Amino acid sequence: MTKTGADYAWFENDFPDIAEAYCFTLVRGLSTAELVSRLEGRPEAPLQGIAAVVDAAFAQYDLQEGDRQLVAMTTVGTWTLLIEPNGYFGTTEDRALPASAGARWVSHFVNINSVGTFLWAEDQVLRLCFEPMFPEDRWGSTPDELLAVMERIGFNLEEEDPETDLSSPAAFALAEHLTGVAITPALLQDTTFTCVTIQIR
């Protein structure tokens, strides 16, 4: 049964420090080492739990004056999960699409102004991209393939504004639909993440 945005409402409530600005990316077909190589990542000390990752990400940002982004990584089944506190690399088409060669790439981000992006790519082909708050405007090679799923998950595809905006948690649910990977509180709290920094400008 496909989860809905309501099933991820806990994220904003339980993890407010990262919920206001983040990028979550799931990649299948590349090992963590291969991803680090493609991203030209610089190894950093591993960190346990998302709270430590968030703190380190903001410290890194201040230290590098915004030039480098901390990325926390872990393996979940056959997928590699990348988390960027206050980041957006995973949804940047000109960098994510080349990095997706030979892989499935599913990513979503939101910033402090609630501007966001959902991106699904397969082997350098952009399948679907849209802003979660405005899912009626979609692009990619198969922009309408998931319409029924998106509506069931909770994306607002009507012209009228919804009473409750579930666009950010709905992005988590759509990512789970495409990957089979559930983001859980335990995963965020208990994981010891491999960490790298990447050049972002």
Side-chain angles (χ1 to χ4, degrees):
M1 183 70 178
T2 300
K3 288 184 182 175
T4 69
D7 292 312
Y8 276 97
W10 57 265
F11 179 68
E12 294 181 357
N13 296 328
D14 296 354
F15 299 92
D17 288 346
I18 190 172
E20 65 179 13
Y22 60 83
C23 185
F24 278 69
T25 303
L26 284 156
V27 182
R28 186 182 67 190
L30 300 174
S31 67
T32 299
E34 287 173 316
L35 266 174
V36 170
S37 176
R38 289 190 183 186
L39 303 181
E40 298 181 349
R42 185 172 69 194
E44 305 288 345
L47 295 166
Q48 182 170 359
I50 196 64
V53 170
V54 172
D55 289 345
F58 280 95
Q60 177 71 38
Y61 186 89
D62 291 340
L63 183 66
Q64 299 290 331
E65 298 182 342
D67 286 343
R68 298 190 70 83
Q69 169 70 43
L70 182 79
V71 181
M73 312 172 73
T74 191
T75 300
V76 185
T78 59
W79 294 81
T80 299
L81 170 66
L82 297 80
I83 302 176
E84 306 168 59
N86 198 36
Y88 56 87
F89 169 83
T91 59
T92 305
E93 291 183 36
D94 62 350
R95 296 188 70 182
L97 293 181
S100 74
R104 169 174 278 204
W105 187 287
V106 178
S107 184
H108 56 103
F109 115 97
V110 69
N111 68 15
I112 198 168
N113 297 315
S114 298
V115 175
T117 301
F118 188 98
L119 181 147
W120 165 30
E122 300 273 357
D123 193 15
Q124 303 187 78
V125 175
L126 181 65
R127 297 286 299 275
L128 171 66
C129 196
F130 66 96
E131 187 173 339
M133 285 188 69
F134 305 102
E136 67 276 10
D137 183 16
R138 301 173 303 281
W139 60 98
S141 64
T142 55
D144 297 335
E145 181 175 331
L146 299 177
L147 272 183
V149 174
M150 290 171 62
E151 188 168 13
R152 190 163 63 248
I153 281 173
F155 287 103
N156 177 38
L157 297 170
E158 306 296 330
E159 292 186 2
E160 296 182 4
D161 292 335
E163 293 183 8
T164 303
D165 175 30
L166 289 175
S167 57
S168 292
F172 279 96
L174 185 58
E176 182 176 344
H177 173 80
L178 285 167
T179 65
V181 176
I183 304 299
T184 66
L187 175 63
L188 297 178
Q189 291 171 333
D190 301 339
T191 298
T192 297
F193 294 97
T194 298
C195 295
V196 300
T197 57
I198 59 173
Q199 191 78 32
I200 56 174
R201 67 180 186 186

